[in-house]
Amino acid sequence: MSLFNADEMKGKWKQQVGKAKMTWGKLTEDELLEAEGRQEKLAGLVQERYAVTREEAEKQVKEFFGKS
């Protein structure tokens, strides 16, 4: 499902937080740091904050990780 395994993503996530903040400006840096790059957690935050379907949130997160 993911290009990175969970440990790799956690290690690289802090570098990606700035890009994620630009993509999803309604999410706080603390929320993004707490997500630790976990796609499911991040999709849940996007779904909640942007009032989109789970499928749309998952699509956005997959596209984000595909570009990163």
Side-chain angles (χ1 to χ4, degrees):
M1 177 183 243
S2 170
L3 297 175
F4 301 105
N5 73 37
D7 290 334
E8 286 177 321
M9 195 62 236
K10 279 185 183 182
K12 295 179 181 192
W13 182 241
K14 287 186 180 179
Q15 299 169 359
Q16 300 296 323
V17 168
K19 290 179 186 177
K21 184 76 175 136
M22 289 173 51
T23 302
W24 299 291
K26 291 182 182 179
L27 299 178
T28 67
E29 188 170 331
D30 286 344
E31 289 172 321
L32 292 167
L33 288 170
E34 186 179 309
E36 294 183 318
R38 294 186 310 256
Q39 291 185 21
E40 286 184 23
K41 173 83 172 171
L42 187 54
L45 290 169
V46 170
Q47 178 186 12
E48 179 182 305
R49 195 68 44 139
Y50 287 89
V52 297
T53 65
R54 183 66 180 193
E55 292 78 20
E56 175 60 25
E58 288 174 353
K59 178 183 171 207
Q60 288 182 27
V61 170
K62 283 182 185 178
E63 288 176 0
F64 175 81
F65 283 110
K67 292 180 196 172
S68 296

